[in-house]
Amino acid sequence: MNIHDRPHVVIVGAGFGGLYAARSLKDADVRITVIDRRNYHLFQPLLYQVATAGLSPADIAYPIRSVLNRQKNTRVFLAEATSIDVNARKVILQDGETGYDYLILAAGACHSYFGHPEWEIYAPGLKGVDDALEIRRRILLAFEKAEREMDEVRRRALLTFVIVGGGPTGVELAGAIGEIACQVMVGDFRAINPQDARIILIEAGPRVLPSFPEDLSTKAEASLKRLSVDVRKNSPVTTIQPNAVVIGDEYIPAATVLWAAGVAASPLARSLRVPLDRAGRVLVEPDLSIPGHPEVFVIGDLAAFVHQGGCLLPGLAPVAIQQGRHAALNILRRCRGLPSEAFRYVDRGTLATIGRAAAVANFGTVKLSGFLAWIAWIFIHIFFLIGFRNRFIVLFEWAWAYVTWHRSARLITGGSNRISHVSL
C-alpha cells in the first residue's frame, strides 16, 4: 500500500498518553503525525525537582524527534493546535491545518484558579519548564533579598513561602522547600538563618493527599512537620494579593506564593462540541472515543472517564499511558473492521515524596511510607523517564545528593520575562 493511502492517525500532544499511543502504532500500517507546541517530551512528575533546584531541566526533558526517530511511519510537527473540526476531520493549527482519519487528542490541562485568573501572576503554578524555572527563581531570590533586608517585618515576609493545594504537587513542593531551608542552605548566609523560613501548605479539604488512604495522608503530614512545614487543613484561600495570602480573616504576608490547587482541561476540548464536565474535560465513551465520532479518541488529563465504578480516573501518568496504548489498540481494531473495546484502568499504585528519603506509596494491599517508599518512588520514576541518558543522570544526581546533601550547583537564579513579586 502506498504510504499516502494508509490511514492517517494524528496525535495532538506528546505527553505520556500521546507518546505511548505513537509508540504502540510503530509497526502498524498507518501514517502518524504527532503535533506538539514544544519539541520535547516533559516528565512532569519530576518538574517540582527542577522548581526546587533538585534537577536541571535537561534531566527531565527529551526531544520528541529523538524518541520517535526510529518509527518510519511517524513524523513530528512543532505547532500549536487551536481547534478541531470533527465534521471535516481536520486539526486547525495556528499556521495551517492537517486532516486525519483517526485522531487521538492528548492535549493535557492547564492551571485553574477557580474563577480568579488574576491570582496567576502572584501565585504561579507548575505545568512546564518555564513555570519551574520561575518558581525556582522566586524561591532563591526570596532568600537572597532577605539577606539584605534590614526591616524585620519585611524579612519575615520574604522568608514566608505559601503553597496552595495539598495534593501530590503541593506536598512535594512544600517538602522540597523545607529541605532546602532546613538542610541544604544551612551555613550559606550570614544575616539570616534559612531554618527560620516559614513554609505554609494550605489545603481546603480535611487532609493532605486526599487521593491516598487516610493513614498515608497522616504519615505524609507528619513528615512535612518534621521539615517545619505548617500544614493548614480545612482552609480555603479567599484572596491572593501581591506578597500576601488571605485565608478567611487571616492575612499572611508572603513574598512567595505557589499554586498547586487545581487544573482545567485544554480549551481544545470545547471545539469538539461534545459534553464536558465542570473542569472542561471531555466525557468520553467507554472506549475513549467521543459521542458521535468513533474515530476521535480523547485521553489523559483531557478525558473524563467515569465508566469504571462511577468515579473519575485521576490525572496521573499511568492513566494517560494506559489510555494512550488502548486508543492505539482501538484504532488498529477499527482499521481491521473490528469494533472498539472498552477501556479498563489497572491501578498499579500511587506515590508522593516528602523531601529526602521520605515518601508514601499506595499499591492497593501494600502501603509503604518513609525510606522504602522513597526508594520505590525513585526507581519507578527512573523507569518511566524517556532516554537512557536521562535515567542515568537522574539516578546519579539523587545518589550524590543523598550522600552529600549537595544541590548547590543548581541554587542559581536566572532572568525571567515574568513580573517578580518577591520585592516588598
Side-chain angles (χ1 to χ4, degrees):
M1 181 186 294
N2 186 288
I3 188 171
H4 296 291
D5 295 329
R6 298 175 183 174
H8 186 202
V9 180
V10 173
I11 301 172
V12 178
F16 288 104
L19 207 56
Y20 276 81
R23 283 177 155 183
S24 298
L25 293 168
K26 66 179 180 179
D27 297 321
D29 195 20
V30 298
R31 54 193 175 100
I32 306 166
T33 300
V34 177
I35 301 172
D36 200 291
R37 61 183 178 178
R38 301 176 300 211
N39 72 340
Y40 58 89
H41 167 77
L42 180 66
F43 191 82
Q44 280 194 328
L46 292 182
L47 200 54
Y48 86 96
Q49 288 268 341
V50 176
T52 54
L55 293 172
S56 297
D59 296 338
I60 64 167
Y62 203 76
I64 299 168
R65 295 182 188 278
S66 297
V67 177
L68 301 174
N69 64 356
R70 295 186 180 181
Q71 293 192 204
K72 301 305 181 184
N73 64 348
T74 303
R75 59 180 180 171
V76 178
F77 282 178
L78 178 62
E80 183 165 1
T82 57
S83 64
I84 310 297
D85 186 338
V86 292
N87 294 320
R89 295 195 179 188
K90 290 182 179 180
V91 177
I92 311 303
L93 310 173
Q94 274 190 342
D95 54 356
E97 61 183 36
T98 184
Y100 64 83
D101 296 303
Y102 297 96
L103 173 66
I104 297 177
L105 200 54
C110 55
H111 309 305
S112 172
Y113 288 83
F114 305 119
H116 294 278
E118 70 278 8
W119 291 355
E120 183 173 10
I121 195 170
Y122 309 129
L126 187 58
K127 278 296 179 184
V129 169
D130 290 342
D131 297 328
L133 294 177
E134 171 66 9
I135 289 172
R136 183 175 72 180
R137 191 183 69 87
R138 293 191 185 203
I139 293 170
L140 300 181
L141 280 180
F143 285 103
E144 296 291 345
K145 292 192 176 188
E147 174 77 357
R148 298 177 55 191
E149 181 58 61
M150 303 302 294
D151 183 88
E152 184 60 34
V153 174
R154 291 175 180 268
R155 178 186 288 179
R156 181 165 178 77
L158 282 165
L159 292 176
T160 298
F161 302 86
V162 174
I163 301 94
V164 183
T169 299
V171 166
E172 289 167 346
L173 276 172
I177 296 172
E179 182 180 286
I180 289 173
C182 295
Q183 295 155 348
V184 177
M185 284 186 169
V186 174
D188 288 353
F189 295 87
R190 299 298 175 262
I192 64 170
N193 180 358
Q195 292 179 322
D196 292 335
R198 185 185 183 198
I199 303 156
I200 304 173
L201 178 63
I202 299 174
E203 167 56 37
R207 59 189 177 96
V208 299
L209 297 179
S211 61
F212 283 70
E214 190 169 353
D215 58 334
L216 291 182
S217 293
T218 302
K219 291 179 179 179
E221 183 176 344
S223 295
L224 287 169
K225 289 180 178 178
R226 284 194 291 272
L227 290 169
S228 301
V229 177
D230 179 5
V231 179
R232 305 284 190 92
K233 297 172 291 186
N234 298 305
S235 302
V237 169
T238 51
T239 304
I240 298 179
Q241 303 172 358
N243 301 307
V245 171
V246 180
I247 309 172
D249 296 328
E250 183 181 2
Y251 180 90
I252 304 174
T256 306
V257 182
L258 307 177
W259 186 264
V263 296
S266 164
L268 273 178
R270 293 195 292 270
S271 67
L272 297 174
R273 301 186 183 279
V274 294
L276 309 177
D277 71 358
R278 294 179 62 182
R281 293 170 292 221
V282 178
L283 292 163
V284 295
E285 301 285 8
D287 65 350
L288 301 175
S289 68
I290 66 174
H293 291 276
E295 75 282 356
V296 178
F297 298 88
V298 179
I299 63 174
D301 290 346
L302 199 58
F305 187 88
V306 293
H307 305 285
Q308 190 168 329
C311 298
L312 185 71
L313 291 180
L316 300 174
V319 175
I321 289 169
Q322 291 183 36
Q323 288 182 338
R325 288 170 171 163
H326 192 83
L329 171 66
N330 276 337
I331 287 174
L332 292 177
R333 290 182 62 84
R334 293 188 62 80
C335 286
R336 297 167 185 153
L338 300 173
S340 297
E341 291 184 341
F343 171 72
R344 184 161 186 85
Y345 173 58
V346 179
D347 187 357
R348 295 187 173 92
T350 51
L351 305 94
T353 183
I354 310 104
R356 178 180 184 265
V360 291
N362 176 29
F363 300 113
T365 56
V366 178
K367 300 175 185 177
L368 301 174
S369 61
F371 182 75
L372 284 178
W374 184 71
I375 291 294
W377 178 86
I378 283 181
F379 281 97
I380 287 173
H381 284 74
I382 290 292
F383 175 79
F384 280 114
L385 273 175
I386 302 298
F388 174 79
R389 173 184 174 276
N390 298 59
R391 296 176 187 177
F392 176 79
I393 288 176
V394 171
L395 185 60
F396 175 80
E397 293 280 5
W398 274 331
W400 179 250
Y402 182 79
V403 173
T404 67
W405 290 104
H406 182 76
R407 66 170 72 186
S408 60
R410 290 173 300 279
L411 291 177
I412 56 176
T413 62
S416 173
N417 293 324
R418 299 192 184 185
I419 297 173
S420 173
H421 289 276
V422 295
S423 56
L424 293 171

